[in-house]
Structures are given as structure tokens and as C-alpha cells.
Amino acid sequence: MISRRKFLASSAMTTATLAATSASGYSRIIGANQKVNIACIGIGNRGEQIIDEFEKTGLVNVVALCDVDMGAPHTTKIMNKFPKAKRYQDFRQLLDKSGGEFDAVTIAIPDFSHFPVAMACMQAGKHVYVEKPMSRTFHEAELMMKMALKNPKLVTQVGNQGHSEGNYFQFKTWMEAGIIKDVTAITAHMNNARRWHKLDPKMKMWPAAQPVPSTMDWNTWLTTSMPKEYNDLYHNGEWRCWYDFGMGALGDWGAHLIDTAHEFLELGLPYEINPTYLEGHNDFFFPMSSTLLFRFGARKGMPPVDVTWYDGLTNLPPLPKGYGGSAATANVPGTNQGEVKPATLNPGRIIYSKDLIFKGGSHGSTLSIIPEEVAREMAPKLPEIPKSPSNHFANFILACQGKEKTRSPFEINGVLSQVFCLGVIAQRVNRPLYFDAVTKQITNDTFANALLVGAEPRKEWMEYYKV
């Protein structure tokens, strides 16, 4: 069992140390002109999209495929596309039997399984690309960061692709030029129907057992989670709404909305997390709507920042004067849940500084200054924004080849993932939480503090909690 004492003792290393040490970790050169052999874990739905994106780079050979539902309708397309790739249903067998045939893995599976699979792959010496959110619990993110630090030659990348698009380079450039400065508040909102479940918040027990699909290895799907009987309400994206399996809208979209501000403003971890509004709160799955306030302290001469998160179809944030219309964000990956109707307000963010207000969409969408008259006045003062040298997928492979550094490695994204974990705990317990970023403890709620580590994993999965 992972004791809280051991967890807190192991958390003493600061994020700054993690980032500084990992800078030397890009020395494992596979070959300047040699394609990287990859194995893909999770090949349906989002996994299919990721594999297609990596193939488009022209930098990889797909040598192995792994999915617990191998042969189901959502996995057959990739199976047919790469008929020569070896096939597995259990990632442990993939590593044991074919580990010598690939250098890197892509992981696109439910949030709760990111941790054991990524840890197993790093233990096996593989470079890791994993979808966001990086982990489901605070402790898991801590261990993943430490594992990356312990193995600096391994390349890691979290799949928030906005880190390789316009917003990332714009935010960095505008901060360096003093355009973005003295930020005091950020609003981030996700208010369209994508990923919203239709479950009844009055539910009093887990869904009844259903027959396990003939193509599926349900026990391996569960990985570290406590055993549950199979039900369709856990599968094909539905897992995202359950506390035991997913991270809700915050974990799904927060990485596309808060990521650059969190990194470049060096927000770190909040000292207070307050669920100011939850609609349909229950013990099993995420509320139908949530408003969460994250309070971050002053850092390096920068003022304190309040970040307010809004989700839900009708839980809209207040908009500043001169906000204008809500434009759809380009290049957002599709979903397996059908066409999404236009929303009243598309996912986005509003950044309030002492002198200026910035408006932006999600993913790589760039910021604009509002209102328009202020934007026109500022236009001559805005610096040129450099273009990205590579997209997010090519960035990972080029880092595996020793040519670039990943822009969203575990030591960067891990802290943001921990912010989301704290937000999810606040959603779950439905009361304000106070967090000590030095000891990494929730100081006012024993039950919430225990959720930083979460339930003990099943015995056969304990080995992945060792660094």
C-alpha cells in the first residue's frame, strides 16, 4: 500500500527542480534520418485519430497495436490499416513479447489507465506520448513526474496539442514583450454539449451488470480500478463522466484552455479550490454544471490570480463589455458521440490583466485584445509571433530523434494535471478546500486529503507505483 507518509515525503522535490533537471533529458538519439518504431496502445476513437496524425508526420513505423477491445467496430479501421503490425489486448504482453521492436508508445485510453500504462512503458525504457489529462489522481501525477526525472533520456509528451500551435507561441511572445503582464483573473469555460452525459444524478447504485462484449478484455480495461461489472455506460467515452474512471469536462478541456496561462504565468498549485456552484451533485459522476474557483498566490513579482472554471450547457460565465461574438475553434478533433449542435458560447478563456483584457478560444486559438478600440490602439505595439517548428506529434518524434524538446513533457503538464485533480476533488466533496503547496496536503478536510492518493490499487498493479 502507498502510505500517505511516503507520498508526502516523496513530494518534497519542487516543480522547479523537476523542470531544470529534465532539460538534459533529450540525449537518446534514435537516428537523425531514421524513422521511429512506435507501438499504439488504444487504437479506437481518439486513438485512431492520434495514430493517423503520427503517420502523417512521415517519421514513424507503426509496428504494434494494442487495445482491450481488439476487433470491436471502433478498432477495426486501424487494424485493417496496419495489417502487419503485431496485435495485443494487454499492454503488459505487448511490452514482454515485442518490447524490443519499438522505441516509443502512444497511449489513448481512459483517463484512469494513463498512469499504469505510462509507468510500465517508462519502466521498460520507452518514450511516451499520452493523451490528456496526464493522470486521474494527484499522487499519480507526482509519480509520473518523478519517473520522468529519474529517466531523463526518455522523452515524454502530453497530448494537449495547443502547445505546438499559435496560442503557445503568442502567449510566450506577448509575455516577453510585456503585453501580457499583471494578470489577476482568468475565466475558462466549456459550455457545449460535447462529452456531456445523460445520467440521473439521483442514482443510488452502480449500473447493473451486462454481458462483456466478446472482443473485450474487461479485467485489463479496469487496470488499477476496483472491480466492477461491465456496463455500456462505462465504455466508448462514457467513462469520462465517472469519478472512478475519468476527469470530467475539466480534465477533458482544461488542458486546452488553461494550459499556456498556467505554464507561462508560473501559477503552480492553488492554495484554495472552491466549488461555488454544482448542479446535480452526486457520489458517482460529475455534476451537470460546475463553477470552480482556483486561487493562486503571488509569484516572482506577479500578482495573485483567481482562475474560475465554468462548465455545463447553461452555466455561462459573465462576459466583459466588448466581448463580441463566440467563434468556433479550428482544428478541434471530432468525437464518437455524433454531431454537436452549435453552442451559445463556444469553449474559451478570458484573461484579465491590470491594463488589458484578452479573449481566446480553445486548443491553439490565439488571443485577441478586447474591446476592438483597444485592440486597434495596441496593434502597432504587438510583436511578430514565431511559427511553430513542428506540430505536436512531430515534436514528440523529433524529440525522440534528439532534434527538438517536447513542449508539453510530464514535468510541465504534470503540475497542471494536479490542478485538475484538486478541482475534481472539490467537485466530488462539494466544499471549499485549502491546499498547502509545500507539504502537498489538503489542510481542512481529511477525506478530501485522502483522495490525493485515492483507493489502493489491486495487488497485481502495485508494481507500477514504484519509482
Side-chain angles (χ1 to χ4, degrees):
M1 179 176 181
I2 308 299
S3 72
R4 186 162 309 285
R5 179 176 298 174
K6 289 182 180 179
F7 165 55
L8 295 174
S10 71
S11 297
M13 185 170 293
T14 64
T15 302
T17 303
L18 284 166
T21 307
S22 67
S24 63
Y26 296 87
S27 58
R28 182 181 176 184
I29 300 176
I30 293 173
N33 299 309
Q34 182 181 343
K35 287 188 177 183
V36 175
N37 292 335
I38 65 171
C40 304
I41 303 172
I43 67 170
N45 302 320
R46 180 59 180 152
E48 174 192 323
Q49 295 171 337
I50 287 175
I51 296 167
D52 286 343
E53 291 294 336
F54 274 109
E55 187 190 29
K56 288 177 186 176
T57 68
L59 300 171
V60 304
N61 296 314
V62 176
V63 301
L65 303 173
C66 181
D67 198 290
V68 296
D69 208 356
M70 190 70 80
H74 62 283
T75 61
T76 52
K77 180 179 177 180
I78 290 297
M79 292 172 65
N80 293 335
K81 188 172 184 177
F82 300 99
K84 295 182 180 180
K86 294 186 177 179
R87 301 176 181 182
Y88 298 92
Q89 280 195 287
D90 189 323
F91 71 92
R92 294 167 294 187
Q93 292 182 8
L94 164 72
L95 293 170
D96 288 343
K97 296 181 179 180
S98 293
E101 300 173 25
F102 57 88
D103 300 290
V105 298
T106 67
I107 301 172
I109 55 181
D111 297 348
F112 77 103
S113 340
H114 289 178
F115 170 78
V117 177
M119 289 292 281
C121 291
M122 286 192 287
Q123 288 173 0
K126 307 303 177 185
H127 305 302
V128 175
Y129 182 104
V130 65
E131 262 298 284
K132 49 78 206 161
M134 196 174 100
S135 71
R136 192 187 69 85
T137 73
F138 190 100
H139 181 43
E140 289 171 349
E142 194 82 3
L143 292 177
M144 291 171 77
M145 287 189 284
K146 289 182 181 299
M147 190 67 173
L149 173 63
K150 185 178 179 181
N151 298 276
K153 292 183 179 181
L154 296 183
V155 175
T156 61
Q157 179 95 302
V158 179
N160 52 333
Q161 60 266 35
H163 262 58
S164 295
E165 298 176 10
N167 172 66
Y168 178 88
F169 296 94
Q170 180 199 42
F171 205 109
K172 183 176 185 294
T173 301
W174 280 14
M175 271 204 69
E176 291 171 348
I179 306 299
I180 298 177
K181 63 178 180 178
D182 297 326
V183 173
T184 58
I186 299 172
T187 294
H189 55 91
M190 199 309 199
N191 305 105
N192 69 25
R194 180 169 172 173
R195 301 295 189 196
W196 248 267
H197 59 78
K198 298 178 177 63
L199 300 172
D200 183 0
K202 297 179 182 178
M203 182 182 291
K204 301 297 183 184
M205 61 183 66
W206 296 103
Q210 293 178 341
V212 178
S214 60
T215 55
M216 191 175 197
D217 178 354
W218 177 243
N219 185 61
T220 300
W221 187 93
L222 286 167
T223 63
T224 58
S225 178
M226 290 297 100
K228 292 180 180 63
E229 298 293 338
Y230 174 84
N231 189 286
D232 288 341
L233 292 175
Y234 301 140
H235 196 24
N236 279 338
E238 297 296 335
W239 48 263
R240 193 177 297 279
C241 66
W242 302 91
Y243 286 123
D244 279 19
F245 301 136
M247 292 286 285
L250 177 62
D252 187 15
W253 281 80
H256 297 311
L257 295 168
I258 304 172
D259 54 346
T260 48
H262 181 268
E263 178 177 349
F264 293 122
L265 295 176
E266 301 183 55
L267 294 180
L269 295 168
Y271 64 86
E272 180 182 342
I273 311 95
N274 191 344
T276 58
Y277 172 73
L278 300 179
E279 177 193 1
H281 177 264
N282 69 97
D283 293 332
F284 295 94
F285 49 81
F286 288 88
M288 309 305 288
S289 298
S290 302
T291 304
L292 302 171
L293 171 64
F294 298 87
R295 310 201 75 180
F296 297 87
R299 303 95 41 235
K300 298 183 179 180
M302 292 181 280
V305 179
D306 285 353
V307 176
T308 308
W309 168 266
Y310 294 82
D311 67 40
L313 300 181
T314 59
N315 184 33
L316 306 180
L319 302 178
K321 183 179 179 181
Y323 181 85
S326 176
T329 301
N331 301 320
V332 177
T335 175
N336 65 329
Q337 296 181 322
E339 293 296 323
V340 176
K341 296 179 180 179
T344 303
L345 187 66
N346 287 304
R349 55 204 153 191
I350 307 164
I351 299 172
Y352 298 86
S353 70
K354 180 180 178 181
D355 299 316
L356 297 171
I357 301 175
F358 305 89
K359 163 191 171 183
S362 68
H363 291 68
S365 299
T366 54
L367 298 170
S368 57
I369 297 171
I370 57 173
E372 286 187 10
E373 53 267 29
V374 177
R376 287 194 295 269
E377 178 185 340
M378 290 294 299
K381 306 174 185 178
L382 300 179
E384 183 178 354
I385 302 168
K387 292 184 178 180
S388 177
S390 56
N391 72 22
H392 208 53
F393 307 95
N395 176 228
F396 173 68
I397 299 302
L398 291 168
C400 293
Q401 295 176 330
K403 295 179 179 180
E404 292 187 3
K405 295 180 181 180
T406 49
R407 289 182 280 273
S408 189
F410 285 3
E411 61 273 12
I412 293 294
N413 189 271
V415 183
L416 179 63
S417 183
Q418 289 180 322
V419 173
F420 299 151
C421 292
L422 291 169
V424 167
I425 293 173
Q427 285 177 301
R428 191 165 185 172
V429 301
N430 194 18
R431 46 187 176 265
L433 303 176
Y434 299 99
F435 183 76
D436 186 328
V438 176
T439 62
K440 297 186 179 178
Q441 293 188 83
I442 294 171
T443 60
N444 68 319
D445 191 306
T446 303
F447 176 69
N449 195 52
L451 293 176
L452 293 172
V453 174
E456 182 177 347
R458 293 187 288 165
K459 184 177 180 180
E460 62 266 35
W461 298 94
M462 289 294 294
E463 64 183 292
Y464 303 117
Y465 288 79
K466 300 173 184 178
V467 177

